[in-house]
Amino acid sequence: MFTGIIESIGSIRALTPKGGDVRVYVETGKLDLSDVKLGDSIAVNGVCLTAVELPGDGFWADVSRETLHVTAFVDLKAGSRVNLEKALTPTTRLGGHLVSGHVDGVGEVISREENARAIQFRMRAPRELAKYISHKGSITVDGTSLTVNAVNGAEFELTIVPHTLAETIMGDYRAGHKINLEVDLLARYLERLLLGDKAADPTPAQGGSITEGFLADNGYLKS
């Protein structure tokens, strides 16, 4: 688990094809690795990776085909800057929100505009994730815990202050940039809980859709 508060900007030093997937070497910059052991988790642009080697100034991790398929990791190359966060501990200050490091989908930056000293971003999520994104709710973008300022369909807006721009890779974002998105854990689990016993049925388990008809049939809406 993570908090979505980025601890360091690192960079991809190497991406090595290995047995059908990829092994990546991440140079970790100012991230303190003194308490990191083999097998520990580190979020890279919001993707939870396991450290399999620790050369000193970074770590090696294996990136599966599944991760390459469902995240923007496929767009990274040697020299790409990345957001880094170590897994939280029982004494970690929870400054953002609970983040699993399991990416729900790949979004896209639509526009970038100045807003006083901040930057206003408009982003588009995959259609199937739109129902989890709410005004003033939390969303994770490339591992960064952020507050949604406006929502219009599958598009949402974020106002990013100078500190966040400096301490994350968001300063690099331009229109067309692909981003890893993780929706709020509570929203995702709430949807599943609302299904009740029907969660065991194959169709809801795969589609996971809560419709107005479903809510009415199960007593969640009053006529």
Side-chain angles (χ1 to χ4, degrees):
M1 297 293 293
F2 305 89
T3 69
I5 303 301
I6 303 305
E7 297 179 275
S8 175
I9 296 176
S11 62
I12 303 297
R13 179 182 288 184
L15 288 159
T16 306
K18 194 175 181 70
D21 49 40
V22 171
R23 178 162 286 194
V24 60
Y25 182 61
V26 182
E27 196 171 61
T28 50
K30 67 178 183 180
L31 190 70
D32 180 12
L33 296 179
S34 63
D35 58 348
V36 175
K37 307 181 298 297
L38 292 181
D40 282 355
S41 297
I42 299 176
V44 179
N45 277 3
V47 180
C48 178
L49 297 181
T50 301
V52 296
E53 293 183 42
L54 292 165
D57 62 347
F59 68 98
W60 285 94
D62 292 317
V63 183
S64 69
R65 286 181 178 178
E66 171 70 7
T67 299
L68 292 171
H69 177 67
V70 301
T71 73
F73 230 96
V74 69
D75 295 330
L76 297 180
K77 56 185 181 296
S80 294
R81 302 203 315 158
V82 290
N83 290 326
L84 300 176
E85 182 191 354
K86 295 185 292 187
L88 65 83
T89 68
T91 58
T92 300
R93 188 184 298 275
L94 188 58
H97 70 286
L98 288 176
V99 175
S100 70
H102 302 155
V103 172
D104 292 303
V106 177
E108 182 180 354
V109 176
I110 302 302
S111 65
R112 169 189 176 131
E113 297 180 2
E114 292 186 5
N115 183 355
R117 293 185 304 116
I119 298 292
Q120 192 85 9
F121 286 104
R122 186 158 55 92
M123 300 179 172
R124 182 185 297 120
R127 184 179 181 85
E128 63 272 17
L129 297 185
K131 59 187 174 182
Y132 301 112
I133 303 172
S134 62
H135 180 228
K136 297 304 178 184
S138 295
I139 192 166
T140 307
V141 178
D142 279 341
T144 307
S145 172
L146 299 166
T147 300
V148 176
N149 288 336
V151 182
N152 182 12
E155 295 185 0
F156 61 97
E157 294 184 8
L158 304 169
T159 302
I160 309 302
V161 298
H163 176 80
T164 303
L165 288 170
E167 296 298 322
T168 73
I169 64 170
M170 295 192 75
D172 299 337
Y173 290 175
R174 298 294 184 273
H177 188 95
K178 294 295 193 301
I179 47 176
N180 291 323
L181 298 176
E182 182 184 331
V183 299
D184 185 29
L185 280 172
L186 296 179
R188 194 166 352 119
Y189 284 122
L190 179 60
E191 179 189 39
R192 185 71 171 166
L193 285 169
L194 284 173
L195 288 170
D197 292 341
K198 290 183 173 59
D201 297 341
T203 301
Q206 293 173 5
S209 58
I210 300 291
T211 64
E212 186 173 348
F214 173 88
L215 293 173
D217 291 344
N218 289 273
Y220 293 106
L221 295 180
K222 294 182 179 180
S223 57

Short mmCIF file of all heavy atoms in Angstrom, two decimals, residues 10-18 22-29 33 38 42 44 49-63 73 76-82 84:
data_model
loop_
_atom_site.label_atom_id
_atom_site.label_comp_id
_atom_site.label_asym_id
_atom_site.label_seq_id
_atom_site.Cartn_x
_atom_site.Cartn_y
_atom_site.Cartn_z
N GLY A 10 12.65 9.68 -10.06
CA GLY A 10 13.75 8.84 -10.54
C GLY A 10 13.77 8.81 -12.05
O GLY A 10 13.08 9.60 -12.71
N SER A 11 14.55 7.92 -12.59
CA SER A 11 14.60 7.79 -14.05
C SER A 11 14.84 6.34 -14.44
O SER A 11 15.44 5.56 -13.67
CB SER A 11 15.70 8.68 -14.64
OG SER A 11 16.97 8.28 -14.16
N ILE A 12 14.36 5.99 -15.60
CA ILE A 12 14.59 4.65 -16.13
C ILE A 12 15.99 4.61 -16.73
O ILE A 12 16.31 5.39 -17.63
CB ILE A 12 13.55 4.30 -17.21
CG1 ILE A 12 12.12 4.41 -16.65
CG2 ILE A 12 13.82 2.91 -17.77
CD1 ILE A 12 11.81 3.45 -15.53
N ARG A 13 16.82 3.72 -16.22
CA ARG A 13 18.17 3.60 -16.77
C ARG A 13 18.22 2.53 -17.86
O ARG A 13 18.91 2.70 -18.86
CB ARG A 13 19.18 3.27 -15.68
CG ARG A 13 20.60 3.12 -16.24
CD ARG A 13 21.61 2.73 -15.19
NE ARG A 13 21.91 3.81 -14.26
CZ ARG A 13 22.82 3.72 -13.31
NH1 ARG A 13 23.50 2.59 -13.12
NH2 ARG A 13 23.04 4.74 -12.50
N ALA A 14 17.48 1.44 -17.66
CA ALA A 14 17.52 0.36 -18.65
C ALA A 14 16.20 -0.40 -18.65
O ALA A 14 15.56 -0.56 -17.61
CB ALA A 14 18.68 -0.60 -18.35
N LEU A 15 15.80 -0.86 -19.83
CA LEU A 15 14.67 -1.76 -20.01
C LEU A 15 15.17 -2.94 -20.82
O LEU A 15 15.54 -2.79 -21.99
CB LEU A 15 13.54 -1.05 -20.76
CG LEU A 15 12.76 0.02 -19.98
CD1 LEU A 15 12.05 0.97 -20.94
CD2 LEU A 15 11.73 -0.65 -19.08
N THR A 16 15.22 -4.10 -20.18
CA THR A 16 15.83 -5.27 -20.81
C THR A 16 14.79 -6.36 -21.05
O THR A 16 14.22 -6.89 -20.10
CB THR A 16 16.94 -5.83 -19.91
OG1 THR A 16 17.87 -4.79 -19.60
CG2 THR A 16 17.67 -6.97 -20.60
N PRO A 17 14.51 -6.70 -22.32
CA PRO A 17 13.60 -7.82 -22.59
C PRO A 17 14.14 -9.09 -21.94
O PRO A 17 15.34 -9.37 -22.00
CB PRO A 17 13.60 -7.93 -24.12
CG PRO A 17 14.03 -6.57 -24.60
CD PRO A 17 15.00 -6.07 -23.56
N LYS A 18 13.25 -9.85 -21.30
CA LYS A 18 13.70 -11.03 -20.58
C LYS A 18 12.59 -12.08 -20.57
O LYS A 18 11.59 -11.92 -19.86
CB LYS A 18 14.09 -10.66 -19.14
CG LYS A 18 14.88 -11.72 -18.39
CD LYS A 18 15.32 -11.18 -17.03
CE LYS A 18 16.14 -12.20 -16.25
NZ LYS A 18 17.47 -12.41 -16.86
N VAL A 22 9.77 -7.88 -19.35
CA VAL A 22 10.84 -6.88 -19.29
C VAL A 22 11.39 -6.78 -17.87
O VAL A 22 10.63 -6.86 -16.89
CB VAL A 22 10.30 -5.49 -19.72
CG1 VAL A 22 11.33 -4.40 -19.46
CG2 VAL A 22 9.93 -5.50 -21.20
N ARG A 23 12.70 -6.61 -17.76
CA ARG A 23 13.32 -6.25 -16.49
C ARG A 23 13.77 -4.80 -16.61
O ARG A 23 14.39 -4.40 -17.58
CB ARG A 23 14.50 -7.17 -16.17
CG ARG A 23 15.22 -6.79 -14.88
CD ARG A 23 16.09 -7.90 -14.34
NE ARG A 23 15.27 -8.96 -13.75
CZ ARG A 23 15.75 -9.93 -12.97
NH1 ARG A 23 17.04 -9.98 -12.70
NH2 ARG A 23 14.95 -10.85 -12.47
N VAL A 24 13.41 -4.00 -15.59
CA VAL A 24 13.67 -2.57 -15.64
C VAL A 24 14.62 -2.18 -14.51
O VAL A 24 14.54 -2.71 -13.41
CB VAL A 24 12.35 -1.77 -15.54
CG1 VAL A 24 11.63 -2.06 -14.24
CG2 VAL A 24 12.60 -0.27 -15.68
N TYR A 25 15.55 -1.26 -14.83
CA TYR A 25 16.41 -0.69 -13.81
C TYR A 25 16.01 0.76 -13.58
O TYR A 25 15.99 1.57 -14.51
CB TYR A 25 17.88 -0.74 -14.21
CG TYR A 25 18.80 -0.19 -13.13
CD1 TYR A 25 18.83 -0.78 -11.88
CD2 TYR A 25 19.59 0.92 -13.36
CE1 TYR A 25 19.64 -0.28 -10.87
CE2 TYR A 25 20.42 1.42 -12.36
CZ TYR A 25 20.43 0.81 -11.12
OH TYR A 25 21.23 1.32 -10.12
N VAL A 26 15.62 1.07 -12.34
CA VAL A 26 15.16 2.41 -11.99
C VAL A 26 16.20 3.07 -11.10
O VAL A 26 16.54 2.56 -10.03
CB VAL A 26 13.81 2.35 -11.23
CG1 VAL A 26 13.33 3.77 -10.93
CG2 VAL A 26 12.77 1.59 -12.04
N GLU A 27 16.74 4.19 -11.57
CA GLU A 27 17.64 5.00 -10.75
C GLU A 27 16.77 5.87 -9.86
O GLU A 27 15.89 6.59 -10.36
CB GLU A 27 18.54 5.85 -11.65
CG GLU A 27 19.75 6.42 -10.96
CD GLU A 27 20.70 7.06 -11.97
OE1 GLU A 27 20.26 8.02 -12.64
OE2 GLU A 27 21.84 6.59 -12.10
N THR A 28 16.98 5.83 -8.55
CA THR A 28 16.00 6.37 -7.61
C THR A 28 16.27 7.78 -7.10
O THR A 28 15.51 8.29 -6.27
CB THR A 28 15.86 5.42 -6.41
OG1 THR A 28 17.16 5.12 -5.89
CG2 THR A 28 15.18 4.12 -6.83
N GLY A 29 17.31 8.44 -7.57
CA GLY A 29 17.55 9.83 -7.17
C GLY A 29 17.70 9.98 -5.68
O GLY A 29 18.47 9.25 -5.04
N LEU A 33 17.16 4.44 0.11
CA LEU A 33 17.01 3.00 -0.04
C LEU A 33 17.61 2.23 1.14
O LEU A 33 17.67 1.00 1.10
CB LEU A 33 17.69 2.53 -1.34
CG LEU A 33 17.12 3.07 -2.65
CD1 LEU A 33 17.92 2.54 -3.84
CD2 LEU A 33 15.65 2.70 -2.80
N LEU A 38 15.41 -6.68 -0.55
CA LEU A 38 14.93 -7.45 -1.69
C LEU A 38 13.52 -7.95 -1.39
O LEU A 38 13.23 -8.42 -0.29
CB LEU A 38 15.86 -8.65 -1.96
CG LEU A 38 17.26 -8.32 -2.47
CD1 LEU A 38 18.04 -9.60 -2.71
CD2 LEU A 38 17.20 -7.49 -3.76
N ILE A 42 8.02 -0.88 -4.39
CA ILE A 42 8.21 0.53 -4.69
C ILE A 42 7.28 0.88 -5.85
O ILE A 42 7.23 0.16 -6.85
CB ILE A 42 9.68 0.85 -5.07
CG1 ILE A 42 10.62 0.52 -3.91
CG2 ILE A 42 9.83 2.32 -5.48
CD1 ILE A 42 12.10 0.71 -4.23
N VAL A 44 6.29 2.87 -9.03
CA VAL A 44 6.93 3.60 -10.12
C VAL A 44 5.82 4.11 -11.03
O VAL A 44 5.14 3.33 -11.70
CB VAL A 44 7.89 2.69 -10.91
CG1 VAL A 44 8.55 3.47 -12.06
CG2 VAL A 44 8.96 2.12 -9.99
N LEU A 49 5.95 -2.23 -8.00
CA LEU A 49 6.97 -3.15 -8.49
C LEU A 49 7.76 -3.71 -7.32
O LEU A 49 7.90 -3.07 -6.28
CB LEU A 49 7.92 -2.44 -9.46
CG LEU A 49 7.31 -1.91 -10.76
CD1 LEU A 49 8.40 -1.25 -11.61
CD2 LEU A 49 6.61 -3.01 -11.55
N THR A 50 8.30 -4.91 -7.51
CA THR A 50 9.07 -5.59 -6.46
C THR A 50 10.56 -5.49 -6.77
O THR A 50 10.99 -5.85 -7.88
CB THR A 50 8.66 -7.08 -6.38
OG1 THR A 50 7.27 -7.16 -6.08
CG2 THR A 50 9.46 -7.78 -5.30
N ALA A 51 11.33 -5.01 -5.81
CA ALA A 51 12.78 -4.89 -5.99
C ALA A 51 13.41 -6.28 -5.96
O ALA A 51 13.31 -6.99 -4.97
CB ALA A 51 13.37 -4.02 -4.88
N VAL A 52 14.06 -6.65 -7.07
CA VAL A 52 14.71 -7.97 -7.15
C VAL A 52 16.23 -7.88 -7.09
O VAL A 52 16.91 -8.88 -6.85
CB VAL A 52 14.27 -8.73 -8.43
CG1 VAL A 52 12.78 -9.01 -8.39
CG2 VAL A 52 14.63 -7.95 -9.68
N GLU A 53 16.76 -6.68 -7.30
CA GLU A 53 18.19 -6.41 -7.13
C GLU A 53 18.33 -4.98 -6.64
O GLU A 53 17.57 -4.10 -7.04
CB GLU A 53 18.97 -6.58 -8.44
CG GLU A 53 19.06 -8.00 -8.96
CD GLU A 53 19.90 -8.09 -10.23
OE1 GLU A 53 20.97 -7.43 -10.26
OE2 GLU A 53 19.49 -8.78 -11.16
N LEU A 54 19.33 -4.75 -5.77
CA LEU A 54 19.57 -3.42 -5.22
C LEU A 54 21.04 -3.04 -5.40
O LEU A 54 21.86 -3.22 -4.51
CB LEU A 54 19.19 -3.39 -3.73
CG LEU A 54 17.70 -3.54 -3.41
CD1 LEU A 54 17.51 -3.87 -1.94
CD2 LEU A 54 16.96 -2.26 -3.78
N PRO A 55 21.39 -2.48 -6.57
CA PRO A 55 22.79 -2.16 -6.86
C PRO A 55 23.35 -1.00 -6.04
O PRO A 55 24.57 -0.81 -6.00
CB PRO A 55 22.76 -1.78 -8.35
CG PRO A 55 21.45 -2.25 -8.86
CD PRO A 55 20.52 -2.21 -7.71
N GLY A 56 22.49 -0.19 -5.41
CA GLY A 56 22.98 0.91 -4.59
C GLY A 56 22.31 2.23 -4.92
O GLY A 56 21.84 2.93 -4.02
N ASP A 57 22.27 2.60 -6.21
CA ASP A 57 21.66 3.87 -6.57
C ASP A 57 20.29 3.67 -7.22
O ASP A 57 19.75 4.59 -7.82
CB ASP A 57 22.57 4.66 -7.52
CG ASP A 57 22.83 3.92 -8.83
OD1 ASP A 57 22.51 2.71 -8.92
OD2 ASP A 57 23.34 4.56 -9.76
N GLY A 58 19.75 2.46 -7.09
CA GLY A 58 18.45 2.18 -7.67
C GLY A 58 18.07 0.73 -7.44
O GLY A 58 18.60 0.07 -6.53
N PHE A 59 17.14 0.23 -8.25
CA PHE A 59 16.73 -1.16 -8.11
C PHE A 59 16.30 -1.72 -9.45
O PHE A 59 15.89 -0.99 -10.36
CB PHE A 59 15.60 -1.29 -7.09
CG PHE A 59 14.29 -0.67 -7.53
CD1 PHE A 59 13.28 -1.46 -8.09
CD2 PHE A 59 14.06 0.69 -7.38
CE1 PHE A 59 12.08 -0.89 -8.49
CE2 PHE A 59 12.85 1.26 -7.77
CZ PHE A 59 11.87 0.47 -8.33
N TRP A 60 16.42 -3.04 -9.55
CA TRP A 60 15.90 -3.77 -10.70
C TRP A 60 14.56 -4.38 -10.31
O TRP A 60 14.36 -4.79 -9.17
CB TRP A 60 16.84 -4.90 -11.12
CG TRP A 60 18.08 -4.47 -11.85
CD1 TRP A 60 19.30 -4.22 -11.31
CD2 TRP A 60 18.21 -4.27 -13.26
NE1 TRP A 60 20.20 -3.87 -12.30
CE2 TRP A 60 19.56 -3.90 -13.51
CE3 TRP A 60 17.33 -4.38 -14.35
CZ2 TRP A 60 20.04 -3.64 -14.78
CZ3 TRP A 60 17.81 -4.12 -15.63
CH2 TRP A 60 19.16 -3.75 -15.84
N ALA A 61 13.63 -4.42 -11.26
CA ALA A 61 12.34 -5.05 -11.03
C ALA A 61 11.87 -5.72 -12.32
O ALA A 61 12.27 -5.31 -13.43
CB ALA A 61 11.31 -4.03 -10.58
N ASP A 62 11.06 -6.74 -12.17
CA ASP A 62 10.47 -7.41 -13.33
C ASP A 62 9.10 -6.82 -13.62
O ASP A 62 8.29 -6.61 -12.70
CB ASP A 62 10.35 -8.92 -13.07
CG ASP A 62 11.70 -9.60 -13.00
OD1 ASP A 62 12.56 -9.29 -13.85
OD2 ASP A 62 11.90 -10.44 -12.10
N VAL A 63 8.83 -6.55 -14.89
CA VAL A 63 7.56 -6.00 -15.33
C VAL A 63 6.88 -7.04 -16.21
O VAL A 63 7.38 -7.38 -17.28
CB VAL A 63 7.75 -4.68 -16.10
CG1 VAL A 63 6.40 -4.09 -16.48
CG2 VAL A 63 8.55 -3.69 -15.28
N PHE A 73 3.37 1.87 -18.90
CA PHE A 73 4.77 1.47 -18.79
C PHE A 73 5.38 1.22 -20.17
O PHE A 73 6.58 1.41 -20.38
CB PHE A 73 4.91 0.22 -17.93
CG PHE A 73 5.94 0.34 -16.85
CD1 PHE A 73 5.58 0.70 -15.56
CD2 PHE A 73 7.28 0.13 -17.12
CE1 PHE A 73 6.53 0.85 -14.57
CE2 PHE A 73 8.24 0.27 -16.14
CZ PHE A 73 7.87 0.62 -14.85
N LEU A 76 7.48 3.98 -21.64
CA LEU A 76 8.73 4.41 -21.02
C LEU A 76 9.93 3.92 -21.80
O LEU A 76 9.89 2.88 -22.45
CB LEU A 76 8.81 3.90 -19.58
CG LEU A 76 7.75 4.42 -18.60
CD1 LEU A 76 7.95 3.81 -17.23
CD2 LEU A 76 7.77 5.94 -18.53
N LYS A 77 11.02 4.66 -21.70
CA LYS A 77 12.28 4.29 -22.34
C LYS A 77 13.42 4.76 -21.46
O LYS A 77 13.20 5.49 -20.48
CB LYS A 77 12.37 4.90 -23.74
CG LYS A 77 12.24 6.41 -23.79
CD LYS A 77 12.23 6.91 -25.22
CE LYS A 77 12.12 8.43 -25.29
NZ LYS A 77 10.85 8.94 -24.73
N ALA A 78 14.63 4.36 -21.79
CA ALA A 78 15.79 4.80 -21.02
C ALA A 78 15.83 6.33 -21.00
O ALA A 78 15.73 6.97 -22.04
CB ALA A 78 17.07 4.23 -21.62
N GLY A 79 15.92 6.90 -19.80
CA GLY A 79 15.94 8.34 -19.64
C GLY A 79 14.61 8.92 -19.20
O GLY A 79 14.56 10.08 -18.77
N SER A 80 13.51 8.16 -19.29
CA SER A 80 12.20 8.66 -18.86
C SER A 80 12.20 8.94 -17.37
O SER A 80 12.70 8.14 -16.57
CB SER A 80 11.11 7.64 -19.17
OG SER A 80 10.93 7.46 -20.56
N ARG A 81 11.65 10.08 -16.98
CA ARG A 81 11.52 10.41 -15.56
C ARG A 81 10.27 9.74 -15.00
O ARG A 81 9.24 9.65 -15.68
CB ARG A 81 11.45 11.92 -15.36
CG ARG A 81 12.66 12.66 -15.90
CD ARG A 81 12.88 14.01 -15.24
NE ARG A 81 11.66 14.80 -15.10
CZ ARG A 81 11.52 15.79 -14.20
NH1 ARG A 81 12.51 16.05 -13.36
NH2 ARG A 81 10.41 16.50 -14.14
N VAL A 82 10.36 9.30 -13.73
CA VAL A 82 9.25 8.57 -13.11
C VAL A 82 9.06 9.02 -11.67
O VAL A 82 10.01 9.42 -10.99
CB VAL A 82 9.47 7.05 -13.15
CG1 VAL A 82 9.34 6.51 -14.57
CG2 VAL A 82 10.83 6.66 -12.56
N LEU A 84 8.34 8.17 -7.78
CA LEU A 84 8.69 7.04 -6.92
C LEU A 84 8.12 7.22 -5.52
O LEU A 84 8.13 8.34 -4.97
CB LEU A 84 10.21 6.88 -6.82
CG LEU A 84 10.98 6.64 -8.12
CD1 LEU A 84 12.48 6.62 -7.84
CD2 LEU A 84 10.54 5.33 -8.77
#
